[in-house]
């Protein structure tokens, strides 16, 4: 029995030793590969990392101190390059063969700029700023929200650049609450331009259209089209040409969690009996800034036993918003003050009938309390008759692109 155990232990130890050796070899191979992407005797790609300098990198490649000084001066005086930028610049260092000195260096600095340095037969270095071919390509990407319910992740999974994903969130911020409305299985489609550099995708450009299945009965499917007016100003419009810029924000405090939803029959946490909850409670620390959900005029700035310190703002289109339990009001915000959307009106607190610091937020439409999370806000109808005609033509073009790219993703469609 003892012998058997010993054999078993020896076997395990041998396997472990083998695994460690493999790991060590892998580490040895992988580590230098992170810095050198492609390594042939003739051409070496070097990504500039933090702490790297031109002098350090070129010295490592056998370039003499005198040549390094010449190259640095050429870059600075002829090409406007003062130094290397970490995590962005890439150098390609070339030599005729393994034993020859470096005679060509290409520096890609920023997405559109490339400098080529070459050494002639007499050992004289020259610098050229190379013009880079830029173009854009229209692409259509679709995705489905996964179980995590995170749109950012689903967007990245669909192959949309992160900057474009955040732009989509911004342009739909008044339509969708991306922290709370997003549910698994929601589908989305984005038509946008990719910025290309010598045939390689660099980043996302203009967003041309966004389709979003909101899964919310009252709001249904969202489809917004980019439209640029003659003065160069652009916006996103629905299929009828109504603008996406909304009068009110559903959630005035970014990132706050909901502690109590809109409910016309709720047992009140302090009073203990059923009482309608005519708003939404956002839990947030005392002192958190409260911005106005939309532009409007302050009509109430007061205190009562229920709401504590509260403010009511009247907006366009028959809407009013109310903010309760504030610890204090913002200085200069009084009855009659005109406020802009996002302007700070007060600070989160727990005054009045409240069990802890939170913002109690109400939206009132034509005198009736509505659920801030599901109310439909009016779209702004700001296109003139001729702009609308122009918009409908653009819409047709965009719809054609969406249809065509769905079946033929590689087709080139001018927009
Ligand atoms: Zn409340």
């Amino acid at each position: 029995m003892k012998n058997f155990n010993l054999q078993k232990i020896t076997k395990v130890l041998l396997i472990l030793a083998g695994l460690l050796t493999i790991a060590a070899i892998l580490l040895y191979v992988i580590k230098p590969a992170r810095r050198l992407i492609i390594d042939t005797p003739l051409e070496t790609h070097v990504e500039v990392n933090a702490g790297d300098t031109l002098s350090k990198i070129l010295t490592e490649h056998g370039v003499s101190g005198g040549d390094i000084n010449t190259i640095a001066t050429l870059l600075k005086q002829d090409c406007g390059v003062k130094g290397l930028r970490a995590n962005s610049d890439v150098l390609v260092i070339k030599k005729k063969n393994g034993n020859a000195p470096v005679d060509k260096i290409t520096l890609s600095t920023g997405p559109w700029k490339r400098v080529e340095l070459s050494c002639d037969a007499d050992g004289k270095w020259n610098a050229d700023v190379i013009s880079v071919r830029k173009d854009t390509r229209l692409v259509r990407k679709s995705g489905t929200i996964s179980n995590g319910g995170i749109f950012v992740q689903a967007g990245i999974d669909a192959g949309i650049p992160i900057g474009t994903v955040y732009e989509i969130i911004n342009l739909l911020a008044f339509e969708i609450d991306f922290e709370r409305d997003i549910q698994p299985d929601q589908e989305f489609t984005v038509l946008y331009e990719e910025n290309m550099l010598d045939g390689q995708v660099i980043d996302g450009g203009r967003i041309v259209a966004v389709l979003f299945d909101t899964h919310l009965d009252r709001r249904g499917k969202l489809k917004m089209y980019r439209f640029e007016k003659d003065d160069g100003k652009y916006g996103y419009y629905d299929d009828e040409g109504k603008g996406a810029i909304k009068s009110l924000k559903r959630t005035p405090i970014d990132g706050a969690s909901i502690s109590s939803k809109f409910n016309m029959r709720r047992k009140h946490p302090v009073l203990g009996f059923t009482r309608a909850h005519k708003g939404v409670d956002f839990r947030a620390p005392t002192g958190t800034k409260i911005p106005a959900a939309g532009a409007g005029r302050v009509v109430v700035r007061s205190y009562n036993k229920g709401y504590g310190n509260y403010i009511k703002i009247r907006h366009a289109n028959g809407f009013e918003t109310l903010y309760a339990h504030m610890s204090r009001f913002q200085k200069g915000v009084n009855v009659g003050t005109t406020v802009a959307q996002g302007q700070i009106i007060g600070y989160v607190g727990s005054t009045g009938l409240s069990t802890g610091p939170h913002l109690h937020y109400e939206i009132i439409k034509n005198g009736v309390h509505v659920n801030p999370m599901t109310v439909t806000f009016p779209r702004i109808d700001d296109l003139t008759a001729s702009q609308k005609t122009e918009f409908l033509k653009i819409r047709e073009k965009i719809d054609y692109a969406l249809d065509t790219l769905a079946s033929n993703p590689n087709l080139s469609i001018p927009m």
Side-chain angles (χ1 to χ4, degrees):
M1 210 54 178
K2 264 184 184 169
N3 262 341
F4 174 74
N5 272 341
L6 207 65
Q7 271 181 0
K8 208 173 175 184
I9 289 165
T10 314
K11 214 172 173 183
V12 168
L13 281 175
L14 275 172
I15 290 169
L16 271 175
L19 284 174
L20 276 172
T21 312
I22 291 167
I25 290 168
L26 279 176
L27 273 175
Y28 183 76
V29 172
I30 289 167
K31 211 178 166 193
R34 281 168 63 175
R35 185 183 165 103
L36 313 173
I37 303 168
I38 304 161
D39 210 353
T40 67
L42 304 177
E43 191 176 305
T44 312
H45 288 235
V46 181
E47 282 179 355
V48 177
N49 291 318
D52 282 347
T53 60
L54 185 72
S55 163
K56 187 181 157 202
I57 291 170
L58 294 185
T59 304
E60 280 172 15
H61 286 82
V63 181
S64 74
D67 281 353
I68 291 172
N69 281 339
T70 307
I71 290 165
T73 308
L74 278 172
L75 281 175
K76 198 170 164 184
Q77 290 178 353
D78 296 3
C79 314
V81 176
K82 288 187 185 118
L84 299 183
R85 295 175 312 166
N87 307 317
S88 153
D89 291 0
V90 176
L91 284 160
V92 180
I93 298 168
K94 290 177 191 167
K95 34 172 103 173
K96 288 202 172 65
N97 61 60
N99 301 319
V102 169
D103 63 353
K104 204 167 184 183
I105 300 164
T106 310
L107 168 65
S108 299
T109 174
W112 318 121
K113 193 170 180 180
R114 192 177 295 176
V115 178
E116 212 158 81
L117 296 141
S118 50
C119 185
D120 63 21
D122 303 327
K124 190 172 175 288
W125 283 89
N126 293 295
D128 278 312
V129 177
I130 307 292
S131 69
V132 172
R133 190 170 56 89
K134 281 190 278 186
D135 54 28
T136 57
R137 179 178 70 171
L138 197 62
V139 288
R140 177 192 189 277
K141 297 270 168 77
S142 284
T144 307
I145 308 287
S146 66
N147 281 330
I150 312 272
F151 172 64
V152 175
Q153 190 55 51
I156 293 167
D157 290 347
I160 302 169
I162 182 84
T164 307
V165 172
Y166 281 114
E167 238 179 279
I168 293 164
I169 291 176
N170 268 335
L171 80 89
L172 295 182
F174 290 90
E175 305 278 352
I176 297 173
D177 180 342
F178 277 90
E179 282 171 56
R180 300 179 189 87
D181 288 352
I182 302 299
Q183 295 158 21
D185 297 334
Q186 275 176 320
E187 290 169 2
F188 58 89
T189 297
V190 186
L191 187 70
Y192 66 97
E193 287 173 335
E194 281 178 339
N195 291 324
M196 317 271 292
L197 174 71
D198 280 348
Q200 294 280 97
V201 177
I202 297 300
D203 59 8
R206 298 186 301 177
I207 296 166
V208 177
V210 183
L211 282 78
F212 214 104
D213 182 2
T214 66
H215 270 230
L216 294 169
D217 296 343
R218 298 195 57 184
R219 283 184 268 156
K221 250 192 175 73
L222 254 180
K223 193 170 183 182
M224 303 305 287
Y225 302 83
R226 185 186 202 275
F227 177 64
E228 197 170 317
K229 297 177 193 169
D230 289 338
D231 59 6
K233 282 185 186 153
Y234 70 92
Y236 290 84
Y237 296 84
D238 66 12
D239 50 1
E240 291 169 17
K242 287 183 178 164
I245 294 172
K246 287 302 155 54
S247 47
L248 294 177
K249 264 188 122 176
R250 286 178 201 288
T251 52
I253 307 178
D254 287 334
S257 61
I258 291 184
S259 49
S260 179
K261 290 181 179 174
F262 183 84
N263 179 357
M264 292 311 271
R265 291 173 55 86
R266 178 184 74 149
K267 197 171 180 190
H268 194 278
V270 176
L271 299 174
F273 52 82
T274 303
R275 188 178 178 182
H277 190 235
K278 294 176 174 177
V280 174
D281 291 341
F282 296 97
R283 202 183 302 120
T286 299
T288 303
K289 290 173 182 168
I290 302 171
R297 200 167 57 86
V298 176
V299 288
V300 180
R301 198 202 81 156
S302 185
Y303 176 92
N304 76 28
K305 277 184 186 165
Y307 285 145
N309 293 321
Y310 75 105
I311 277 180
K312 195 176 185 180
I313 301 174
R314 186 164 296 153
H315 309 278
N317 303 305
F319 281 95
E320 288 170 311
T321 52
L322 186 147
Y323 315 76
H325 310 308
M326 290 184 185
S327 55
R328 61 190 174 93
F329 302 113
Q330 173 69 20
K331 257 186 215 159
V333 173
N334 300 302
V335 172
T337 302
T338 302
V339 292
Q341 186 166 57
Q343 186 178 331
I344 305 306
I345 53 168
Y347 299 85
V348 169
S350 191
T351 55
L353 271 181
S354 165
T355 52
H358 73 283
L359 166 68
H360 169 93
Y361 176 56
E362 292 179 10
I363 298 184
I364 302 132
K365 186 181 179 183
N366 299 324
V368 180
H369 282 86
V370 292
N371 185 348
M373 306 317 285
T374 55
V375 62
T376 312
F377 294 125
R379 294 211 171 106
I380 294 168
D381 207 353
D382 66 343
L383 296 183
T384 63
S386 65
Q387 282 171 338
K388 198 163 256 177
T389 309
E390 191 57 33
F391 167 78
L392 292 175
K393 281 186 209 159
I394 297 285
R395 191 193 79 178
E396 206 173 310
K397 222 171 147 182
I398 293 174
D399 279 337
Y400 170 78
L402 280 166
D403 282 352
T404 310
L405 290 174
S407 49
N408 237 326
N410 292 321
L411 217 66
S412 168
I413 298 176
M415 187 51 66

